[in-house]
Amino acid sequence: KQWYQRRVAITAGIAVDCSATASPQLAGRGSETIEQEILSVLNLLYSSIDALNLTDLCIVKGESCWLLNIDVLFVGCGGNIFDAASVALKAALHSTTMPNVSVSGEGIEMELEISDDPYQVWKLSTAMCPICVTLYQEGESFAVDVTEEESECSEGYVHVGVLPSGEVSAMEKSGAGNMDPTALLEMIDAAVRIGMDIHKQLDRHLHAESTTATL
């Protein structure tokens, strides 16, 4: 069972690309640093096998499975790009449909037939998909969804992965500044409150969008 879970877990890959038109800081080698940091945060959020039930991607156990590629492209930079990427990723996974596959035969005679019926599809569950809430330390206080200018003044920041239930799934500190443990706990509490609210609003919007699409 453990081998099977690891085998399937490698069928999801995330790639990040920042357009040079988004912001001057995303031009040249500066974009590579930001891309790697965003990629690191997203991989951290989805490192748990509970984030996505990737076993659903299995077609024939030990033989074939769907390959899930996730491409994140930034064409604008007007706020916290880490949090925006995590919200966009959950929304994209929610709207992704996979065609049904029928299997016939065994061994070398096995054949896979992918349905071309647009209604014969299924979706991955996003019920356990986390979102990122990044809090920036600004002196003795902290801020969320900061501008580029505000982020440059920050002494450090914390990425907190929050599940819809309010559980913290991941956390990572960045920046050179030290953080007081008491202040860090306050930042985590704030991240949980903000994260749960974002989940509720996002899920409400995605549900309404799905309902409209089926009418």
Side-chain angles (χ1 to χ4, degrees):
K1 182 178 180 181
Q2 292 299 317
W3 173 86
Y4 174 59
Q5 289 179 339
R6 289 196 296 269
R7 172 72 177 271
V8 175
I10 65 173
T11 61
I14 303 176
V16 177
D17 184 29
C18 295
S19 170
T21 61
S23 170
Q25 76 178 89
L26 299 183
R29 296 193 60 84
S31 65
E32 297 178 5
T33 301
I34 296 175
E35 289 168 1
Q36 286 301 315
E37 189 170 0
I38 297 172
L39 181 60
S40 175
V41 170
L42 294 179
N43 279 326
L44 176 67
L45 293 178
Y46 284 85
S47 59
S48 169
I49 61 173
D50 295 326
L52 279 176
N53 186 12
L54 294 179
T55 55
D56 288 341
L57 296 175
C58 178
I59 300 174
V60 179
K61 184 177 179 180
E63 296 290 339
S64 59
C65 60
W66 286 104
L67 176 63
L68 183 62
N69 289 317
I70 303 168
D71 297 317
V72 182
L73 173 63
F74 282 92
V75 295
C77 186
N80 190 304
I81 55 180
F82 303 102
D83 301 359
S86 69
V87 172
L89 179 49
K90 178 179 178 179
L93 290 171
H94 180 274
S95 63
T96 298
T97 57
M98 310 287 287
N100 290 337
V101 179
S102 58
V103 182
S104 61
E106 296 181 355
I108 60 175
E109 297 182 355
M110 181 184 298
E111 294 184 358
L112 305 179
E113 183 176 351
I114 301 177
S115 174
D116 57 2
D117 186 339
Y119 297 101
Q120 294 296 317
V121 296
W122 59 275
K123 288 187 174 184
L124 285 169
S125 172
T126 56
M128 293 294 290
C129 285
I131 61 170
C132 178
V133 179
T134 305
L135 301 102
Y136 289 77
Q137 185 175 18
E138 306 284 353
E140 297 182 355
S141 60
F142 56 87
V144 296
D145 196 23
V146 300
T147 64
E148 291 184 43
E149 292 76 13
E150 290 172 333
S151 65
E152 293 176 357
C153 298
S154 175
E155 301 169 7
Y157 48 97
V158 178
H159 303 296
V160 183
V162 182
L163 299 178
S165 63
E167 180 182 352
V168 175
S169 63
M171 185 174 67
E172 181 179 68
K173 176 190 174 297
S174 298
N178 295 322
M179 291 186 179
D180 179 76
T182 302
L184 182 59
L185 291 176
E186 293 178 356
M187 296 171 75
I188 295 174
D189 288 341
V192 169
R193 293 194 303 271
I194 296 169
M196 291 181 67
D197 184 55
I198 294 175
H199 272 297
K200 290 178 181 178
Q201 295 187 49
L202 178 61
D203 290 343
R204 189 182 305 117
H205 175 77
L206 294 175
H207 176 72
E209 190 177 67
S210 298
T211 303
T212 303
T214 57
L215 294 179

